[in-house]
Amino acid sequence: MNTAEIRAAFDASLDRLAESDGSRPARRQAMAAFARHGFPTRRDEDWKYTDLKPILAGRFDPLPGAATGNHRQLASDRLSSLELSADAPQLLFLHGQRLAGGDSPALPPGVQVPDRHTAWQRIRSIQTEGQFREYPLSAINTAFSPDCTLIRVDADADVPQPLHLVYLDGGAANSAAQARLLIDLGANSRLCVVQHFAAGNGGWTNSVTQASQEPGSELTLYRLQEHAEEHFHTELLDVRLARDAAARLGYVDLGGRLVRNDLRVHLAEPGASCDISGVFLAAGGQHVDNHTRIDHIAPHTTSDEAFRGIVGERGRGVFNGKVVVHAGAPGTDARQSSDNLLLSARGEVDTKPELEIYTDDVKCAHGATVGELDAEQLFYLRSRGMDEETARGLLIFAFANDLLRRIELPELRRRVVTAVAGHLPDYEHWGGLL
């Protein structure tokens, strides 16, 4: 699958893609941009540590067919295993397309999901050549996305329940799901969204989420990725915050063969703030790359970013986090950390926190660590009668749990804690310690 093949597939399917939803101009613009820029390679500085050749070699279909009854049954079986709260509103997506009748229960007051034509109009108003140049995979998403979903929250609406968005596939090994989500928060509104990715083996999920927050709004977005072990996942999350708006963003990556997360936050007006945390596990040939950029554009903005990686046998973890304090943004307070546990000599961690500061009167700090389990802590647990495997598992879990505690939804935190612990040594013998 190369750039020419992507273009040919687009030309052959444009009429079917566009239909009557008004998406044709946006799709054409995106494909023209992708034809100019192509797939990123390791010669690009931002992609130095992540090679997309496995995706290019995958011969993925960028426009999987519509869901059949068999696909729906497979998705239903997978959904039932996720143990989601039955009371929380849910939107279900198959191959990136929202399933009609998949919403359960009804959306809460103050939340609307407009029609596709309105969603594509919104995309046309915000997409730029710069985005496609910096994130070429977002151009593929725009060109091929079968269903753009826009979530709008009314001004002053305080949505009491989290909104669960569940992304599945129907088991097709060569499918490329182009999931596209827009979130618009009105002034002084509050919303919590949980994105849960859980596709099967052998496919590729290429997701783009863009959020726009008006003054005083609060967005909490948690993203849990539990793909099967041979799945590929690439993602862009772009958040833009107005005056006194706040965003809390939490990432957990447990599955996938090759995972690349791009996160861009624009603190565009005074008082805007963001809190970002991420936990990932990588072993058995897994590759997880978190690539973030936070722009402090206005005065008196705040960011707190922390990622923790646990890298085992033949795993690779990458973190590249850049914080840019623009000229004219005094009073900025920015903190960033990347801490990693390396559990095997055959694992690898590449971490690169960055600060660019173009103004005075700021408070900024960043740091990175890569290390093994603390031998003294391990000895202490062993001296209290605990076997080595259990002791190692508990210490690894404690390392991750420092950030998992930031998940404010009790039911989601329990779900994530159990999922993380299930990947660790001797979990079945912990004796209900969680």
Side-chain angles (χ1 to χ4, degrees), residues 216-232:
S217 61
E218 296 182 19
L219 172 65
T220 300
L221 190 152
Y222 299 115
R223 203 280 275 125
L224 172 59
Q225 182 271 112
E226 291 186 291
H227 291 313
E229 62 181 13
E230 294 300 328
H231 200 81
F232 299 97

Side-chain angles (χ1 to χ4, degrees), residues 45 110 151 164 211 241 280 291 309 340 348 360 366 376 410 416 430:
E45 181 63 26
I151 298 173
H164 287 263
L241 296 92
F280 69 88
H291 214 91
N340 302 273
E348 181 177 343
D360 297 324
H366 66 172
E376 290 188 5
V416 170
W430 287 12

Side-chain angles (χ1 to χ4, degrees), residues 347-365:
E348 181 177 343
V349 175
D350 301 283
T351 181
K352 184 184 178 186
E354 299 179 72
L355 277 174
E356 292 185 11
I357 302 173
Y358 298 99
T359 190
D360 297 324
D361 188 23
V362 300
K363 184 166 59 174
C364 299

Side-chain angles (χ1 to χ4, degrees), residues 220-224 248-252 275-279 407:
T220 300
L221 190 152
Y222 299 115
R223 203 280 275 125
L224 172 59
R248 177 182 293 272
L249 311 172
Y251 277 68
V252 179
D275 182 290
I276 304 169
S277 61
V279 172
I407 299 175

